[in-house]
Amino acid sequence: MDEFLEVGQTWYVLDYKWYESWKDYSNYADSASNFGKDDPGVIDNSQLLEEDGSLKEKIVEDINFATVPERVWHMFVKCYGLANGQEPIPRPVIKMGTFTKVTKIELYPLPLLLAHYKHPTDGKLERCSVAMTIGELKVKMRKLYKIVEEAEVKLVGSYTSAEYDKLDDDSLTLEEANLQPRQFVVIIQKDGAIWPKLDTYKKTTASCFTSSTKASTNGTSAKSYSSSNGFSSSYSNGSLSSSSFFSSSSEKAGAPGLCGLRNLGNTCFMNSSLQCLSNVPTLTKFFLGDAWKKDLNSKNPLGMKGEIAETYADLMKAMWSGKNSSVAPKYFKGAVGRFAPRFSGYQQQDSHELMAFLLDGLHEDLNRIKKKPYVEVKSTDGKTDEEAANQAWQDYLARNDSIIVDLFHGQLKSTVRCPDCKNESKTFDPFCYLSLPIPPKKTKKLKVFFVSRDLGQLPVKCRVKVPADGSIADLCKSVADKFDVSANKLVAAELYNSRFQKIYKDQEFVRGIQDRDELYVYEVDEAEGQMPVVVYFKETPTKSYQTARNLCIPSIISVPVDVTYDDLYDIINSRQRLVNSEEAMAYLSNNHNADIDQRNGLQHHLNGVDIVDKDMGGDVDRDMGGDVGSEKEEPMDICSSPKATDQPQIFDITLVSQYGYSQSNGLPYTGSLGLKPLNYLAVEFDKGLNVVRADDAFDVKEDDSLYDSQSEPGVTLEDCVQLFATEEELGKHDTWYCPVCKDHVQAFKQFALWKLPKYLVIQLKRYKSSMSSYSYYRDKVDTLVKYPVKNLDLTPRVIGSQTNSKYLYDLVSVSNHFGGLGGGHYTAYARNHDLDQWYYFDDSSVSAAAENSVVNKSGYLLVYERHE
């Protein structure tokens, strides 16, 4: 939606695939190929919601969900409706950040545990906007605990049983006050003319933890509760339990550095980055002493007022004290959020982006250059590469001099070459990390559900190998080879919530298909005079306002081109497995006469009604997939005579839209139905039937290929460096101005390593985006990159003049990312320098790790240390 965010607005969250379907249908993307699409049906946000209706954690915008303004949401609901039992998901637009303000949609309100100091175990979980002020929270708690207006009150915040913070500035927002998810806020009431003593605060906050912990462990059953932002808590007998939220950081304290970081709400990305940097020995030693204080530059206009350095130093001291098994990095997170609002709130972020921000923030906070001089860019004409590189490095050091530059900054040579006159431009630029591309795979393994034309067989879930740049035709060939069927009889489709999202064209590429997509390949008969149609199996709703739910995975079956209703009924009935023959016979025997009357009455009602409309599909070639309805439809002839047979039937068949909605009044019982290839049909079973439950009907058989342990060949880190250093042509929209040709040209660009730092940070570019002729897509590259744990030799790659220098590196730490773009989790491997042992850090958890487990396909961010 091309609309700007304004504070005070309400936007609504909705399923991204539904939104994409609506854009196709409405021609929003302005693509001729989208014309004639079926309407998207009712809005179904079930994939975004937990069982209790709360919003799932770790969902990603433009992958899992989209947001639309209030007026658009109401238009959508009016036109298409919202799935039964679901509530809208409104979210406010607020200002976030302290020193740098940004306008954002607050996806996850802040869950707080509110308590009265006299009744600390009677806690209540409330979700509050981070834009709420302390004063507004105070008013809310007054009402919650029925405290009269005249009574003096104050608030106390507590994140552990051993500490508390006074919340006495009513003007601060909850974000500015650095309140964290699941933190206790206690309201203190003045007793006459006397405030409770300091010890009372401590006892109260301690009671919030100890009493509720006992409540959850005294034999009473603890129920699960989840707030609307996806954070879970627990309670017993109506009282909140903090045992699932908090633990004493001093319990089972480990060796220095073996300290976990508590997840403050989707902060695993931050914890992973912090553990990686925490195990950089020279940097941590610098912060554990007082040397950093001499370099503190709190007046640097490009810095963070010293707050990033100060909170990072405090965090390192807590992690390396040897007194804590885990700590909550809430003050560090608060400081980061104040200067980089994209990291405020509680949405999943990227560990590399956090590390890049942190290194830059530490650099500026500790920059020894108190007043940066103006440095004029000097010409490199007539200079050797060495002279130009040294000049550029000295100019950089004139404005940038810190422990971060000393340890992490290197220098790249960049060459741009004109393809016409061969003129070259060379620059020498500093870098803090290398982003290395991963060579593309030659093949790709796709998860597929194969559905045999024999509906009596369960769908088979398997993996097949296809060329990485292959087509849907290649996919069908791989499936055909695996199951010994004809590739010409296969149709590939994407399902979502057991509804057809799209039917693929044979020439479409597979590279846009992701592992989370539900990819089905159907076997159909394409004998002469046959055509495929899509069939949904639905349960007739018991109430008029309900939507018929799908009973099983929809099917694609072959029917005669001139199929009649009776023939269609017999074909479907012979292949359905939802109602057994004994149940059907008993039902038909009991309902014979009533069924005849019902059908005759329905047939009379259908006289003169046009059945087919724009939602019901149209004439397409198999190769054109599901783009139906592009030609003008002719109305079907409706016969006034009753059904050819008087036998009652156990289901009705209707025409529906691609998504199984927009039901018509029915089909004629006599004569040819006039169906077209890939029309969508719905089979609705009569209400009195005992239909197989969905849990059974959605069963699949798992093939051994899902668990194929055969290791992939993978690529080496050297391959990634080689690709990074390979000359490439700039894109059409990324041209370079050649001063000789005096024109913008598609130049060739190449990078080379000139100077490498003591600590080398490498990002493996696992996220990619691409545009095909059919769609724009983003994906995660899950290729195994074999990076050396010891003796990474980059000496041959460094072209600077330090001919006697050796660039040998050992791995220090790894940030791992598990899962895809639509979620996932970050952890870290790091080698404790003091113990010379690898450890695995997963938020609060720390465990010893074998060295051979450090190299894995989830490795995303690598930190190397150069040999002395």
Side-chain angles (χ1 to χ4, degrees), residues 125-144:
L125 181 66
E126 295 287 332
R127 296 171 293 278
C128 308
S129 170
V130 294
M132 175 186 283
T133 64
I134 296 296
E136 291 167 340
L137 179 60
K138 193 179 293 183
V139 171
K140 182 182 181 74
M141 294 187 69
R142 275 183 183 273
K143 293 179 181 177
L144 196 61

Side-chain angles (χ1 to χ4, degrees), residues 26-298:
S26 65
N27 208 23
Y28 181 83
D30 194 26
S31 171
S33 64
N34 290 330
F35 180 77
K37 290 279 187 176
D38 287 323
D39 76 64
V42 300
I43 302 168
D44 186 353
N45 288 331
S46 58
Q47 295 297 308
L48 304 178
L49 302 172
E50 302 287 2
E51 290 184 1
D52 64 353
S54 61
L55 193 63
K56 286 182 178 179
E57 295 184 42
K58 299 179 181 177
I59 56 176
V60 179
E61 191 165 14
D62 294 336
I63 294 176
N64 305 110
F65 73 93
T67 54
V68 295
E70 187 170 19
R71 61 177 180 81
V72 176
W73 169 259
H74 290 310
M75 179 195 72
F76 281 164
V77 173
K78 182 179 179 180
C79 294
Y80 307 105
L82 182 61
N84 291 324
Q86 292 185 16
E87 295 292 331
I89 311 174
R91 289 296 184 262
V93 178
I94 63 172
K95 283 281 188 187
M96 300 188 76
T98 303
F99 297 99
T100 303
K101 295 281 189 182
V102 296
T103 304
K104 293 177 64 175
I105 297 172
E106 186 177 31
L107 192 64
Y108 296 112
L110 178 66
L112 295 174
L113 293 167
L114 308 182
H116 191 282
Y117 81 108
K118 286 187 176 180
H119 310 286
T121 60
D122 185 22
K124 293 179 173 59
L125 181 66
E126 295 287 332
R127 296 171 293 278
C128 308
S129 170
V130 294
M132 175 186 283
T133 64
I134 296 296
E136 291 167 340
L137 179 60
K138 193 179 293 183
V139 171
K140 182 182 181 74
M141 294 187 69
R142 275 183 183 273
K143 293 179 181 177
L144 196 61
Y145 291 103
K146 298 180 174 59
I147 300 174
V148 296
E149 199 66 35
E150 296 76 23
E152 290 188 60
V153 296
K154 62 176 65 173
L155 301 184
V156 172
S158 180
Y159 197 77
T160 70
S161 60
E163 61 182 28
Y164 72 92
D165 297 315
K166 291 182 179 179
L167 305 174
D168 49 12
D169 188 342
D170 287 357
S171 66
L172 292 180
T173 65
L174 303 190
E175 180 187 20
E176 292 167 341
N178 202 29
L179 295 188
Q180 299 299 316
R182 302 167 288 208
Q183 147 169 8
F184 272 104
V185 176
V186 181
I187 189 166
I188 310 291
Q189 186 175 344
K190 195 172 185 179
D191 188 6
I194 303 173
W195 285 104
K197 294 181 180 180
L198 185 66
D199 287 345
T200 305
Y201 298 173
K202 294 181 178 179
K203 291 177 181 178
T204 299
T205 54
S207 297
C208 289
F209 297 93
T210 57
S211 298
S212 54
T213 300
K214 290 177 182 177
S216 65
T217 57
N218 65 1
T220 59
S221 60
K223 301 179 181 179
S224 174
Y225 178 83
S226 182
S227 62
S228 66
N229 64 353
F231 298 123
S232 297
S233 63
S234 59
Y235 64 98
S236 301
N237 297 334
S239 296
L240 281 164
S241 165
S242 63
S243 61
S244 59
F245 298 144
F246 314 106
S247 61
S248 173
S249 61
S250 60
E251 291 179 0
K252 299 180 181 179
L258 303 187
C259 177
L261 294 170
R262 278 176 251 172
N263 195 312
L264 304 178
N266 280 338
T267 56
C268 58
F269 73 96
M270 180 181 74
N271 295 344
S272 175
S273 295
L274 286 170
Q275 294 290 6
C276 285
L277 287 183
S278 168
N279 286 278
V280 172
T282 309
L283 183 66
T284 297
K285 182 179 179 181
F286 177 78
F287 277 102
L288 292 180
D290 291 330
W292 66 273
K293 294 181 179 178
K294 295 187 297 182
D295 293 344
L296 193 63
N297 188 350
S298 57

Side-chain angles (χ1 to χ4, degrees), residues 585-600:
M585 290 180 64
Y587 176 79
L588 294 176
S589 176
N590 295 331
N591 294 273
H592 177 76
N593 294 328
D595 188 77
I596 294 176
D597 294 339
Q598 176 187 3
R599 291 188 183 279
N600 287 340

Side-chain angles (χ1 to χ4, degrees), residues 2 20 97 124 403 458 532 561 610 678 696:
D2 298 326
E20 285 291 290
K124 293 179 173 59
I403 184 68
L458 289 174
V561 173
D610 291 348
L678 293 175
D696 300 323

